[in-house]
Amino acid sequence: KPLPKGSGRGVAVQTVFGSFMAQVAEVEVSKDGEVHVKRVTCAVDCGIAINPNTIEAQVQSAIVYGLSAALFDEITLKNGRVEQSNFDNYRAPHINEMPSIDVHIVKSNDPPGGMGEPGTSALVPAVFNAVYAATGVRLRKPPIAPDLLKTYRRQDNARAAVVVPLLMTEPIDVVTAVTMSVGTCRKNPKAMALWAALLPAQWCSAS
């Protein structure tokens, strides 16, 4: 069903280190420009899943630090030195700030791929696209600055935006998003399998 005003979903698809990953982020943007990530759904094909529990935990923790980069953290320099030194000035999300996270592992007989960084790098563009779907404001650099979103005006057609891979496009509806993504990845069966695993449960009822 359609999301309420001020909410949006964004998609990111990537292939890196021999693994394929797709993420859908659902966000809510307050009138003050504060972004709350409510849910993240991830499908991953990393080859043979030697330890599925470890893969799931790795994706969950990677999403934590992706959220840190998207919402809070910035590396700044002063007199040639990095100013941030510990978690008091480079923080991770608190438990009450964490979204619901679903991880779906696609069965594969391919050689194992990397599972360290993919969850982090896919999360930021998924969140930025969700913010665009919710507000019509295109963000290009993390972390999100609430001041940029305070005067947002929701666009009726801004329901979804796509990253394939990690490149942002104009807002499009869900059916077009799926068609574009599958079309772009047509020569890549793994990417198509990720869409098949990820999208139906989350998006089939969306308008």
Side-chain angles (χ1 to χ4, degrees), residues 180-204:
M180 278 188 60
S181 301
V182 173
T184 303
C185 303
R186 189 174 300 279
K187 296 181 180 179
N188 191 327
K190 285 182 173 290
M192 294 180 70
L194 285 177
W195 281 108
L198 179 65
L199 290 178
Q202 302 298 325
W203 285 43
C204 282

Side-chain angles (χ1 to χ4, degrees), residues 122-142:
L123 190 279
V124 176
V127 169
F128 277 23
N129 281 338
V131 170
Y132 184 41
T135 67
V137 176
R138 176 62 78 199
L139 302 172
R140 299 293 184 184
K141 179 183 178 182

Side-chain angles (χ1 to χ4, degrees), residues 15-178:
T15 173
V16 62
F17 305 128
S19 294
F20 297 79
M21 180 175 288
Q23 289 189 17
V24 175
E26 183 173 317
V27 308
E28 179 182 87
V29 183
S30 71
K31 292 182 179 179
D32 293 330
E34 296 291 337
V35 175
H36 303 279
V37 182
K38 312 295 287 186
R39 185 183 184 93
V40 177
T41 303
C42 176
V44 57
D45 181 345
C46 58
I48 297 173
I50 297 174
N51 190 328
N53 289 336
T54 297
I55 293 170
E56 182 177 7
Q58 183 67 53
V59 173
Q60 291 169 339
S61 61
I63 287 173
V64 172
Y65 286 98
L67 285 174
S68 298
L71 301 179
F72 310 121
D73 294 332
E74 184 176 14
I75 298 293
T76 57
L77 300 174
K78 184 175 182 180
N79 297 326
R81 301 185 66 178
V82 173
E83 294 185 286
Q84 291 71 30
S85 60
N86 211 320
F87 289 121
D88 60 333
N89 53 15
Y90 191 88
R91 77 180 187 88
H94 300 159
I95 188 65
N96 62 313
E97 297 170 320
M98 283 299 298
S100 171
I101 300 175
D102 297 314
V103 180
H104 304 273
I105 301 172
V106 178
K107 291 183 179 180
S108 174
N109 293 319
D110 289 342
M115 279 308 302
E117 292 83 359
T120 297
S121 56
L123 190 279
V124 176
V127 169
F128 277 23
N129 281 338
V131 170
Y132 184 41
T135 67
V137 176
R138 176 62 78 199
L139 302 172
R140 299 293 184 184
K141 179 183 178 182
I144 294 172
D147 288 345
L148 295 177
L149 303 177
K150 283 184 179 180
T151 58
Y152 76 83
R153 294 293 184 269
R154 182 177 177 84
Q155 298 180 3
D156 292 339
N157 66 335
R159 285 293 185 183
V162 178
V163 182
V164 186
L166 304 184
L167 293 178
M168 300 181 182
T169 69
E170 293 305 307
I172 51 180
D173 60 76
V174 171
V175 174
T176 306
V178 176

